[in-house]
Amino acid sequence: MNAVVRRSATAIDAALSPGALASGAFVQNPEFWKQELANDIAAALPLQAAAHRSDGWVTRPAILRRVATLMGASIPATADRIIAFGDAAQILGTAVALETGIPFCVANPRAATEAEFLQTGTLHAGERVAVVSVHLDAPDLLESLAGHDVVVVVWRALISRPADATMLAADSRIAAEFSDAGMVAAAHEGGDAA
Amino acid sequence: MTSKPSIGVEGAVALIDANRLEQFIERIAEITEAGPGVTRLAYSPLERRAHDVFRNRMCELGLTVTVDAAGNSIAELPGVAEGSSDAVGTGSHLDSVPSGGRFDGIAGVAAAVEVARSVVESGLPHRRPWRFVAFAAEEGARFGQACNGSRAASGVATSAGIAGLYDNGGITMAEAMASVGLRPDRIDTAAWASEDWHGFIELHVEQGNVLETSRTPIGIVDVISGSSRVMVELVGTASHTGATPMHLRRDALVAAAECVLLCEQIAQNSQHRGTRITVGKLDVEPSSITTIPGRVIFSVDVRDIDGDRQRTTARDLLSRFQVIAKERDVDIDIQIIGDTSPAILPTRLVDLIAAQARAHGVPYRIMPSGASHDTQQISKVTSAGMIFVPSQGGLSHVPDEWTSYQELALGTQVLLRALYALDLA
């Protein structure tokens, strides 16, 4: 039996990776894939006060699944647990945990008492944790986690805001996939998000 | 250009006339090859004649009409706001599949013409330019690739990219374009600039039966499916049906049948709600009652509103087709012929259209589109939305395709309201 998979030289958007056939057909160019995801998140933002609400996209599996894939890819194999917090934390934590197979918990850095810090799941001293969030809006989170005697290996946010620049520059463990400015531009003007 | 004192958007909406929509659609339906239904293929002289009708109507209304290198006809009505060049747009396409219906695409162009007429005759003031577009070559039936005119408008199409597209008669798309006076060598000049657009809303017939069965006159599309397409060739051994024992056969059609059933099985499992897989074309050789099929070529069209799942499914199918071929000892050759991502349409336009439907007192449904549309390409340039009107019996791409003109008029009224709201936004 001979098996050949070929790709037409035409008729395909630039979306597919040139090396797709070597690794299996229909593999998208990673940059194009990420840009499409940014556009889709922007498109799903609600009409008003667009940038700071996530329910437009976290309720769509076609977007949430890709967000989990994107954020899951940046979580090192050494992570023992995922900590989700902030906007849509329960949904984001669940999605990234399903993607990676790593247990997760949901934290509230602004909890009034220590007993209220964990909203879902458990966290144990000595664990290496990966933080996931939609935004970077808890500058004291790392300090809180240090108090729990855990090691933060990475903090991955989906969308950064201009005010996060200092925080991003100060700690190499912290990174964001997209910028808020690009999202807003794409949501209101069409075209590609940065 | 006719100019009258404005009677406001309500007055303009009241001018939308079902009879005029019918007249335009019937006029375009006359431009067809002989045979059942409507046959007005992409980049044919008949398609250009239909564009001529569109252009003449718009010129009669006093609009400025241009035709780009890809064959898209664009009529513009200037806005009153000084320095405002980002336009509000609407439109659809004028070509058809072989033996198709009279509404697919044409309904959206008819709606655009009727909106233009009502805006001009009512003197409805609008801040931004309004553009009315008849896209070229939306149907993929002739060249295997859909949305050719809007792909050019979105900047996706290139001269090099279209070079390998040809029809069943061996005519390349570039040759067909040139034969009707278009410029395939300059197709890149048809690309729209994002800064020239504020938003675009296409009206289209649903081509399914969700609206009809739910007795809902308006659909508002929130996502358009993407598609991944392949052609699969299976080669076994053609031989005598009586003389060849069953255990010694290399029957390409039996292997193909297993592949077809696998497509249905995957599309129906719980992980694929929203996935649609179709084997729509299957050619058997030598196609003889007394000869075991030695060669089968079939198409597979995987459509999904989830781009990752669409491609994962396509990859899975190709892998499992190869397993089937190996088990049945037939050779397999798979060619990827198309791949387009789904388009999630902006929530702000979905909400805007929904608000206008409510203001008009019309029930609506938010729904996905399983079919590809020009809006899918235009959404790469500007915020884009879609309005569906019901398809009788859910039929499309057949001569019996039908939408009542009253329902089309209702959809056109909502379209006009939405365009006006978008103009003010």
Side-chain angles (χ1 to χ4, degrees):
Chain A
M1 193 276 296
N2 293 319
V4 179
V5 180
R6 294 178 291 121
R7 175 180 166 189
S8 172
T10 60
I12 300 174
D13 291 351
L16 291 187
S17 168
L21 297 186
S23 56
F26 295 110
V27 175
Q28 275 190 291
N29 175 305
E31 288 182 11
F32 198 96
W33 180 90
K34 190 172 177 182
Q35 182 181 300
E36 280 192 341
L37 174 58
N39 292 346
D40 287 346
I41 292 170
L45 291 174
L47 185 58
Q48 302 296 333
H52 305 302
R53 296 183 61 204
S54 301
D55 48 336
W57 62 265
V58 295
T59 53
R60 291 173 179 252
I63 299 179
L64 182 61
R65 194 165 15 225
R66 283 180 287 161
V67 167
T69 299
L70 181 67
M71 300 188 78
S74 63
I75 295 179
T78 54
D80 300 309
R81 190 173 301 277
I82 291 164
I83 299 180
F85 80 94
D87 190 18
Q90 296 280 0
I91 297 169
L92 187 65
T94 304
V96 179
L98 285 171
E99 169 72 16
T100 60
I102 299 172
F104 80 106
C105 63
V106 176
N108 176 12
R110 297 187 180 86
T113 67
E114 181 58 31
E116 294 170 339
F117 179 75
L118 280 180
Q119 296 181 318
T120 300
T122 57
L123 185 64
H124 303 288
E127 286 185 330
R128 296 169 62 83
V129 299
V131 182
V132 297
S133 58
V134 176
H135 300 293
L136 290 164
D137 50 2
D140 52 351
L141 177 68
L142 294 178
E143 192 178 332
S144 296
L145 290 173
H148 286 81
D149 197 21
V150 296
V151 178
V152 175
V153 292
V154 67
W155 178 357
R156 205 73 180 183
L158 187 65
I159 305 167
S160 68
R161 297 164 176 157
D164 300 327
T166 305
M167 196 171 164
L168 287 165
D171 194 324
S172 62
R173 294 172 298 174
I174 305 174
E177 302 293 353
F178 305 114
S179 77
D180 185 290
M183 290 288 177
V184 173
H188 291 278
E189 298 165 13
D192 297 336
Chain B
M1 183 184 304
T2 305
S3 179
K4 293 182 178 178
S6 171
I7 52 176
V9 69
E10 297 295 340
V13 167
L15 290 179
I16 298 295
D17 184 344
N19 290 328
R20 286 180 180 270
L21 289 163
E22 179 176 2
Q23 287 166 13
F24 183 85
I25 287 175
E26 293 305 317
R27 172 71 188 94
I28 298 294
E30 292 168 359
I31 305 170
T32 176
E33 293 180 22
V38 173
T39 301
R40 191 171 48 251
L41 300 182
Y43 292 132
S44 66
L46 291 175
E47 185 197 29
R48 298 321 305 170
R49 277 179 55 195
H51 276 251
D52 289 344
V53 172
F54 170 80
R55 187 187 62 216
N56 291 339
R57 289 285 169 90
M58 290 305 199
C59 287
E60 287 166 9
L61 291 170
L63 277 66
T64 304
V65 183
T66 56
V67 179
D68 66 23
N72 301 313
S73 300
I74 304 171
E76 179 162 327
L77 193 59
V80 297
E82 192 171 336
S84 180
S85 61
D86 54 334
V88 166
T90 187
S92 193
H93 61 94
L94 288 170
D95 61 320
S96 81
V97 298
S99 301
R102 61 187 59 200
F103 290 90
D104 176 2
I106 323 312
V109 178
V113 171
E114 188 60 6
V115 166
R117 186 189 67 81
S118 74
V119 171
V120 168
E121 295 189 359
S122 68
L124 180 68
H126 49 97
R127 298 171 55 220
R128 307 171 190 281
W130 284 28
R131 297 194 187 115
F132 305 90
V133 185
F135 290 107
E138 191 268 355
E139 299 291 353
R142 182 174 182 188
F143 296 106
Q145 178 171 273
C147 300
N148 294 288
S150 52
R151 282 168 60 89
S154 73
V156 171
T158 63
S159 300
I162 65 170
L165 297 174
Y166 52 89
D167 66 13
N168 287 338
I171 298 171
T172 67
M173 193 168 91
E175 290 169 344
M177 291 174 73
S179 73
V180 293
L182 301 174
R183 294 293 302 272
D185 57 319
R186 302 192 68 222
I187 196 167
D188 56 325
T189 64
W192 294 357
S194 289
E195 58 267 28
D196 290 341
W197 290 89
H198 184 62
F200 190 92
I201 303 174
E202 179 179 10
L203 180 146
H204 204 282
V205 292
E206 181 199 345
Q207 304 179 282
N209 60 4
V210 171
L211 294 178
E212 184 182 62
T213 54
S214 63
R215 299 175 185 274
T216 309
I218 296 291
I220 302 170
V221 178
D222 65 346
V223 57
I224 303 175
S225 295
S227 67
S228 295
R229 295 175 182 164
V230 296
M231 293 298 295
V232 181
E233 179 182 21
L234 296 170
V235 179
T237 302
S239 63
H240 196 289
T241 54
T244 312
M246 296 303 290
H247 71 281
L248 293 179
R249 295 183 179 206
R250 298 176 68 231
D251 188 329
L253 181 55
V254 174
E258 198 170 332
C259 293
V260 174
L261 290 173
L262 174 66
C263 291
E264 184 187 53
Q265 178 191 335
I266 287 177
Q268 289 186 331
N269 73 29
S270 61
Q271 294 179 328
H272 288 88
R273 303 295 183 239
T275 307
R276 293 169 187 178
I277 309 176
T278 306
V279 176
K281 183 175 181 179
L282 192 148
D283 296 324
V284 181
E285 294 178 6
S287 194
S288 162
I289 292 173
T290 56
T291 306
I292 295 166
R295 181 170 178 260
V296 173
I297 298 177
F298 63 94
S299 62
V300 181
D301 177 24
V302 181
R303 293 184 187 238
D304 210 317
I305 56 172
D306 182 328
D308 273 13
R309 185 174 61 179
Q310 169 190 317
R311 294 180 174 102
T312 301
T313 302
R315 277 199 301 275
D316 186 31
L317 279 175
L318 302 197
S319 171
R320 293 171 72 174
F321 286 171
Q322 291 177 66
V323 172
I324 290 169
K326 184 175 183 181
E327 289 175 350
R328 292 196 171 274
D329 194 24
V330 298
D331 297 334
I332 184 169
D333 186 317
I334 299 168
Q335 182 170 18
I336 301 170
I337 59 170
D339 183 81
T340 302
S341 296
I344 292 178
L345 302 183
T347 301
R348 76 180 188 102
L349 270 188
V350 173
D351 291 348
L352 181 148
I353 297 168
Q356 296 311 312
R358 287 194 299 273
H360 202 56
V362 185
Y364 62 88
R365 284 189 64 154
I366 307 294
M367 58 190 299
S369 169
S372 298
H373 295 290
D374 289 311
T375 293
Q376 200 163 2
Q377 299 300 324
I378 297 310
S379 68
K380 296 171 184 171
V381 179
T382 188
S383 295
M386 281 200 83
I387 296 171
F388 276 171
V389 291
S391 294
Q392 191 170 295
L395 297 176
S396 187
H397 283 191
V398 293
D400 289 340
E401 179 182 271
W402 190 261
T403 292
S404 85
Y405 290 108
Q406 287 70 32
E407 287 181 318
L408 178 54
L410 193 61
T412 306
Q413 289 172 333
V414 174
L415 172 67
L416 172 52
R417 282 182 177 278
L419 291 169
Y420 186 67
L422 186 59
D423 182 79
L424 297 175

